[in-house]
Amino acid sequence: MRILVVSDTHGDFYSFKKAVEAQRSAEIIIHCGDSRDELDNIRMLYPNKAIIAVKGNCDFSSMLPSVEDRVIEGKKLFITHGHLYNAKMTLYPLCCAAREAKADIVLFGHTHNAIAEYDDGLYILNPGSLSGYNASYAYIDITEKGIMTNIVKLK
């Protein structure tokens, strides 16, 4: 199963749509926060895609949760924006929270810097910012053979 992971779209519907079009095989879209109307527009445009989203520090009136735990294809995902865990300073509190939740993968945004790391059983993935210069997104493939994470620069 392929999962598209985006974050920090900040109103950039064009880039969000471009990422979804580039990853047509993704059955699930995960947005790690800081979205505006573009999230609702994507939901309407792609009703066959499952969409999971969390609230970011710029989502002031959002009713989205700050943290989501989901099990997909037998793997537990810990999804958050990152600001509540000081992700711009250190990943330690975020990784501790993910490990406490017994997650296999932690997904976050906030820093606008893409990272894909693996640390002692935990996949750590930030897709970067989908808006602005150096825009990027990520995708995850979960198969019988394991988990593969990828960062993609938006062209």
Side-chain angles (χ1 to χ4, degrees):
M1 168 172 295
R2 179 159 288 184
I3 303 167
L4 172 63
V5 183
V6 302
S7 189
D8 298 277
T9 49
H10 295 288
D12 189 344
F13 174 74
Y14 173 77
S15 293
F16 195 174
K17 183 176 183 274
K18 195 171 177 181
V20 174
E21 289 295 320
Q23 297 300 323
R24 286 184 177 269
S25 64
E27 297 174 46
I28 299 172
I29 300 169
I30 297 177
H31 197 300
C32 296
D34 282 357
S35 66
R36 291 198 310 234
D37 296 334
E38 71 273 14
L39 188 58
D40 292 333
N41 293 335
I42 290 291
R43 284 184 206 276
M44 287 189 300
L45 198 56
Y46 302 96
N48 60 328
K49 304 276 187 192
I51 299 178
I52 302 166
V54 294
K55 176 174 33 178
N57 62 304
C58 294
D59 296 324
F60 304 112
S61 61
S62 174
M63 298 304 290
L64 292 170
S66 296
V67 176
E68 275 283 337
D69 287 328
R70 292 291 177 101
V71 176
I72 300 172
E73 298 289 310
K75 302 299 180 188
K76 188 166 188 183
L77 284 66
F78 183 86
I79 309 158
T80 190
H81 184 60
H83 64 295
L84 299 176
Y85 299 93
N86 291 322
K88 284 187 179 180
M89 302 299 283
T90 177
L91 297 182
Y92 183 74
L94 175 63
C95 290
C96 285
R99 289 181 197 286
E100 186 174 309
K102 303 201 181 326
D104 299 292
I105 306 168
V106 59
L107 304 173
F108 69 104
H110 189 54
T111 68
H112 292 213
N113 296 315
I115 64 164
E117 297 179 359
Y118 179 80
D119 181 52
D120 195 26
L122 182 65
Y123 289 87
I124 305 163
L125 183 63
N126 181 332
S129 174
L130 197 49
S131 68
Y133 176 74
N134 220 11
S136 62
Y137 64 89
Y139 65 87
I140 303 167
D141 286 324
I142 301 176
T143 68
E144 294 173 359
K145 294 182 180 181
I147 299 169
M148 178 71 91
T149 61
N150 294 281
I151 303 288
V152 179
K153 297 290 183 189
L154 193 65
K155 295 177 182 173

